[in-house]
Amino acid sequence: MKKHLFFFLLLLFSVVAQAQRLKKFSENPEEFSGQLQNWMGEFKEDGAEPLYLSFQPVFSADWDSDQQQAFIASCNNLLRKRVTDYTSWFSLLKVSLALYEQEMPATALAWVTHFEELSRKSPQRESAQYLQLCMLNFTDSLISDMRNVQWQAFNGSRTFEMNPEPQFVYTDIDLWGFFRGDSTVIEMTNGIFDPVKQQMSLEGGTVYFERAGFGRDTVYAELSRLKLNVDQGSFEADSVTLHSLIYLPGPTLGHLEERLSSDSREGKSTFPRFESYRHDIRIQDIVKDVDYEGGFSMIGSQLFGSGSQQEPSKLYFKYEGNPFVRAASDRFRFRSNIIRTEGARVAIYLQDDSIYHPKLDLRLIIPLQTVSLIRQNEGSAQTAIRNSFHNMEMYLEVIRWKLGEPQLRLGNLNLGGNSAVIFESDQYYRGERFSAIQGMSNTNPLYYLKQLSSSLDRREVSRSEVQHALRMSETATERFLLNMMVAGFVDYDTYTKTARIKEKTFEYINNADNKRDYDVIRFQSRIAQGDNARLSLLNYDLEINGID
């Protein structure tokens, strides 16, 4: 019971003491000095009394009346906004002393006058943060310490100006950022820090990719200008010049992004990141007998050839010095031992004809100089590989080629097995397939495609035009076009949502109506081990093994 009474009285005393605390400072400088001394004494901090004793003679003897009244008004603004933490009041006195000690009387008056207006108009939190930022920049190498993020200047010089807003001018500094064990640095940069906006405007400087595992001379970026928000452990910069001894033929202009992370490990960071502006960078012999054209990007330690659906990046594989295989993709991943991508549009040139597929996975094993073009068994990747030289469609899993060798090897990924590889004439027709396309509908949808093409007088149609003609939902139309693409009746671009109705559509209809002759040529290859077929690059003969 006595223990509970003690804590109740202690709480009551604290409430009374708080109620009796100062509500407003006197505008009389002498009375204000005494009140400020008592106010600072209430904090019970070791540095409060010595700080006040250093500040008091400056306030009383060295400041004129205008500066004194502006300072008193600022203190009352803080009381009115209930800024009662020690850090804010410590920062206010510390900055005021720093301005005096640096013999900047005009600047000191301008700063105090500016802070009086800011503290009157701004919320409590903004006033407190502003004071702390000013104190750090006047008295420490720290520029900011907010939300577990620190930005700190090393080397170089610092000056303070009122222009007319307060700004700290840094020259030739190394700007370090810290966040939970991770760090980054912009070396030899110049900057102007605005403590009101909590933003630093930087010009020049160099960012190295050491945290991504690259040596300083191997990869680095030169900055032009950027805005750094000091409450964030990240920044982005445009018009950055990347220098890389890996792949790039010369300095490359682009966009840089840097971000600190609590889970960053040396050599494993996914930052800094760089994306080139140009998507037509040409790299001759990125690997022997392989040229590259496209954009260039870095995600930490990972290097990519970058592009887009509209402007894809491309690899050109050469045979006897001439382009032989062309692979186009949104992105190629470059590693020391492999180049790879998924869903590439691939063309293999055979004189004036080609072997083509819109969505193959590509793996180039650099030490072995072997490339594999893999057809996946899902989505639009199920489309047959079109061979216009031999007028056939090929249903297989992989095309392999060792660079420089005069043959392509065709088959399955496991080099044999029970799965059949099918080679089918592009004039192949079976009534069962035509019926399967129709399903339970009264009219085969191939007729609708033919009618749509005739009414528009063109082969190229949009998804919305097909949707209207077939009276389907958007989702059903998308699925229908993908199925027609896999069956070989249309070429469909999922990005532009446009389709080209192929000649096969009209031929199938004519076959069904008995208006033309058709082929029944279809080979199934099954082998226990090895390649299902080989294509000679000397005479383009196709040798198929294991035909049923």
Side-chain angles (χ1 to χ4, degrees):
M1 180 68 182
K2 291 182 179 180
K3 185 176 181 180
H4 291 164
L5 179 61
F6 171 77
F7 282 113
F8 172 77
L9 293 174
L10 181 62
L11 177 62
L12 179 64
F13 174 79
S14 299
V15 171
V16 172
Q18 181 70 19
Q20 291 177 345
R21 293 188 73 177
L22 189 64
K23 302 297 184 186
K24 182 180 180 181
F25 286 104
S26 170
E27 296 179 3
N28 180 288
E30 292 185 7
E31 293 181 8
F32 168 78
S33 293
Q35 292 171 334
L36 182 61
Q37 182 176 18
N38 293 335
W39 177 259
M40 295 299 293
E42 288 185 12
F43 287 115
K44 309 299 182 183
E45 296 283 345
D46 293 340
E49 184 68 17
L51 178 60
Y52 168 78
L53 294 177
S54 298
F55 171 76
Q56 195 279 330
V58 174
F59 174 83
S60 299
D62 295 297
W63 283 7
D64 60 24
S65 176
D66 289 340
Q67 193 166 346
Q68 288 176 338
Q69 291 304 315
F71 187 84
I72 293 172
S74 298
C75 291
N76 281 323
N77 290 338
L78 294 180
L79 285 181
R80 192 178 308 111
K81 298 289 177 65
R82 297 183 181 179
V83 180
T84 58
D85 63 288
Y86 173 68
T87 300
S88 296
W89 289 88
F90 173 86
S91 299
L92 175 62
L93 268 62
K94 200 73 174 174
V95 171
S96 302
L97 272 175
L99 287 166
Y100 169 76
E101 291 168 354
Q102 295 178 22
E103 299 180 356
M104 305 168 67
T107 303
L109 175 58
W111 184 86
V112 172
T113 302
H114 172 270
F115 179 65
E116 188 281 322
E117 181 180 4
L118 183 143
S119 59
R120 175 165 33 89
K121 295 180 178 179
S122 300
Q124 174 197 74
R125 183 169 175 268
E126 290 184 15
S127 297
Q129 287 180 340
Y130 170 80
L131 284 173
Q132 184 180 16
L133 289 172
C134 285
M135 184 271 294
L136 289 174
N137 280 267
F138 267 119
T139 63
D140 202 337
S141 63
L142 272 176
I143 295 173
S144 63
D145 186 357
M146 307 173 70
R147 301 179 183 175
N148 296 319
V149 177
Q150 293 181 332
W151 290 99
Q152 190 167 4
F154 292 93
N155 306 318
S157 62
R158 174 188 63 206
T159 58
F160 176 72
E161 300 173 358
M162 293 295 296
N163 192 29
E165 298 286 312
Q167 59 183 33
F168 294 88
V169 181
Y170 287 87
T171 305
D172 294 338
I173 62 168
D174 295 335
L175 180 62
W176 281 83
F178 302 95
F179 176 73
R180 295 181 178 176
D182 196 10
S183 64
T184 187
V185 60
I186 303 173
E187 292 194 2
M188 286 298 291
T189 186
N190 302 300
I192 298 176
F193 175 58
D194 184 336
V196 177
K197 295 179 180 178
Q198 300 177 8
Q199 189 177 77
M200 196 163 190
S201 301
L202 298 173
E203 184 170 344
T206 303
V207 173
Y208 294 94
F209 281 64
E210 291 176 295
R211 61 196 294 256
F214 295 102
R216 292 171 69 88
D217 294 333
T218 303
V219 183
Y220 63 93
E222 293 179 333
L223 307 181
S224 53
R225 293 179 177 86
L226 70 94
K227 299 286 188 181
L228 173 68
N229 296 314
V230 297
D231 64 339
Q232 300 175 10
S234 63
F235 62 83
E236 296 187 35
D238 285 313
S239 300
V240 172
T241 302
L242 183 75
H243 300 262
S244 173
L245 297 180
I246 306 173
Y247 296 132
L248 287 178
T252 303
L253 202 64
H255 177 85
L256 180 77
E257 181 182 359
E258 173 68 303
R259 181 172 299 172
L260 296 172
S261 170
S262 59
D263 190 34
S264 181
R265 292 167 291 172
E266 185 177 354
K268 301 295 184 181
S269 176
T270 58
F271 289 90
R273 297 183 176 183
F274 175 84
E275 180 80 29
S276 68
Y277 291 148
R278 288 178 52 193
H279 283 174
D280 61 351
I281 299 170
R282 297 188 66 87
I283 305 176
Q284 299 290 329
D285 285 325
I286 192 168
V287 174
K288 187 179 183 299
D289 291 330
V290 182
D291 296 339
Y292 171 76
E293 181 181 359
F296 183 82
S297 60
M298 297 184 66
I299 300 180
S301 61
Q302 302 178 60
L303 283 68
F304 297 92
S306 53
S308 64
Q309 284 278 351
Q310 295 172 306
E311 195 176 7
S313 52
K314 296 171 280 291
L315 283 178
Y316 297 94
F317 296 80
K318 292 175 287 188
Y319 176 65
E320 296 184 340
N322 299 312
F324 173 54
V325 179
R326 177 185 182 272
S329 178
D330 298 348
R331 172 182 283 186
F332 291 95
R333 183 176 179 180
F334 301 141
R335 299 182 67 177
S336 61
N337 62 342
I338 187 172
I339 295 178
R340 63 188 300 171
T341 189
E342 286 73 43
R345 297 186 288 280
V346 177
I348 303 172
Y349 301 111
L350 308 177
Q351 295 181 347
D352 295 332
D353 292 291
S354 66
I355 296 174
Y356 175 79
H357 193 277
K359 199 172 185 180
L360 296 178
D361 295 350
L362 180 148
R363 305 285 185 271
L364 170 59
I365 309 301
I366 296 173
L368 301 178
Q369 285 282 287
T370 58
V371 61
S372 298
L373 303 171
I374 303 166
R375 173 177 165 267
Q376 299 290 353
N377 190 31
E378 59 183 13
S380 58
Q382 298 175 83
T383 303
I385 298 174
R386 166 70 178 159
N387 181 344
S388 64
F389 186 90
H390 298 95
N391 295 318
M392 64 171 50
E393 295 178 340
M394 305 186 300
Y395 296 87
L396 49 84
E397 292 181 352
V398 62
I399 299 175
R400 295 183 175 92
W401 180 46
K402 184 173 178 63
L403 275 64
E405 288 193 351
Q407 66 176 354
L408 300 179
R409 299 161 55 205
L410 288 63
N412 289 325
L413 287 169
N414 60 1
L415 291 175
N418 295 322
S419 299
V421 168
I422 298 172
F423 300 87
E424 193 172 273
S425 167
D426 59 7
Q427 300 297 310
Y428 183 81
Y429 173 80
R430 276 291 182 265
E432 307 90 81
R433 289 191 182 181
F434 189 81
S435 299
I437 295 169
Q438 181 170 339
M440 300 298 292
S441 302
N442 293 327
T443 304
N444 195 301
L446 294 182
Y447 284 107
Y448 290 121
L449 291 178
K450 179 182 178 182
Q451 292 169 6
L452 177 61
S453 176
S454 298
S455 65
L456 298 174
D457 194 26
R458 51 182 162 86
R459 295 282 183 92
E460 286 71 26
V461 295
S462 67
R463 185 184 66 183
S464 60
E465 290 171 334
V466 176
Q467 178 181 345
H468 178 74
L470 272 65
R471 299 179 182 179
M472 290 181 173
S473 67
E474 183 178 293
T475 301
T477 304
E478 181 82 6
R479 185 167 55 249
F480 169 76
L481 287 172
L482 288 174
N483 289 336
M484 291 297 98
M485 180 181 179
V486 170
F489 295 105
V490 303
D491 288 327
Y492 181 54
D493 189 323
T494 57
Y495 180 76
T496 61
K497 305 301 180 186
T498 57
R500 184 179 66 86
I501 302 173
K502 297 171 68 174
E503 184 64 26
K504 181 177 178 179
T505 300
F506 305 95
E507 292 174 349
Y508 242 63
I509 291 174
N510 288 335
N511 292 338
D513 294 341
N514 296 315
K515 293 181 178 181
R516 69 186 295 272
D517 294 329
Y518 52 84
D519 286 343
V520 290
I521 300 174
R522 185 174 188 267
F523 302 114
Q524 289 194 61
S525 168
R526 296 178 188 272
I527 58 173
Q529 189 174 6
D531 302 314
N532 294 82
R534 295 195 176 192
L535 174 62
S536 170
L537 303 185
L538 301 177
N539 53 19
Y540 304 127
D541 283 350
L542 180 62
E543 178 185 348
I544 304 175
N545 303 315
I547 297 176
D548 294 344

